[in-house]
Structure formats: structure tokens, C-alpha cells
Amino acid sequence: MTAENPTGPLGGHLDDDDYPAYTMGRAAEMLGTTPGFLRAIGEARLITPLRSEGGHRRYSRYQLRIAARARELVDQGTPVEAACRIIILEDQLEEAQRLNDEYRRAAGSSGPSTGD
């Protein structure tokens, strides 16, 4: 087995944060929560698990990190819906800051040259 041509049950997805490798039961176990919590944050549209051919929810590592953040907020007393909204707003703020930084870098590098 080589890195260029991986084989095995995951087909080279071991390093893929977006690969839906975890069942609902395993995801809930890893987060120390219940499947109901995962369903609730799914209904709040914080994460949308992929479905297996049999219709079972499957979660990626990226989705588990988001769910873990939601669990932190809920454990602090924040209602599930509010926790989901907070995380969405945090994500939007982070993206806006990233874009702002890109625009600033682009504007700084395309400024007038003063090479006399």
C-alpha cells in the first residue's frame, strides 16, 4: 500500500476531516453525549450529517469538532438553538476576518510603487 494508491476499508480517507467515518452512536460516544443531542443540532442546521446507503447518519471529524463546541456551550447552560446560532455567528465572523485580511494584503501589495 502506498500513499498515492491507498487501499483498505477507508480507501485513503484517514486524513480527510470531511470524510463521514463515524456512525451516530460512535459520534455520540466520542462526544460524551446522546444521539438525541446530535439530532437536535442537526435539526438546528448546525451540521448536516451525510447518510449511508441504508439511511444512517454519518459524521466527519470536522462535524464532530463543531458538535463538541456546541456541547461546551450547552454544558454551560446555553440552550441548544442558541448554542447553534452562536457557533454559526462565530464561524461567519472568522470568515469575515479572513476575507478582510486577504483584502488588506492584496491592497498592500498592489499599492503604487515609489521606486525612483
Side-chain angles (χ1 to χ4, degrees):
M1 176 165 49
T2 65
E4 295 82 27
N5 189 12
T7 60
L10 292 178
H13 295 288
L14 289 175
D15 294 328
D16 186 351
D17 269 359
D18 295 318
Y19 183 73
Y22 303 98
T23 63
M24 177 181 274
R26 180 67 179 128
E29 179 183 318
M30 290 169 67
L31 295 169
T33 190
T34 64
F37 175 78
L38 291 172
R39 279 191 290 277
I41 63 175
E43 289 170 10
R45 295 191 175 130
L46 180 61
I47 58 175
T48 303
L50 287 144
R51 298 280 183 154
S52 68
E53 289 182 21
H56 300 282
R57 291 174 179 89
R58 304 285 293 196
Y59 297 88
S60 69
R61 285 187 294 199
Y62 174 74
Q63 290 172 323
L64 293 183
R65 284 194 298 272
I66 293 171
R69 174 70 177 126
R71 169 131 194 253
E72 286 175 18
L73 291 170
V74 169
D75 286 351
Q76 294 169 5
T78 307
V80 171
E81 289 282 336
C84 292
R85 185 69 182 137
I86 288 167
I87 294 166
I88 290 166
L89 290 170
E90 288 173 342
D91 187 54
Q92 289 173 345
L93 175 60
E94 184 179 316
E95 178 66 9
Q97 289 172 331
R98 185 191 64 75
L99 288 171
N100 229 359
D101 289 344
E102 280 183 28
Y103 292 142
R104 284 188 182 136
R105 278 193 297 276
S109 66
S110 64
S113 64
T114 58
D116 286 306

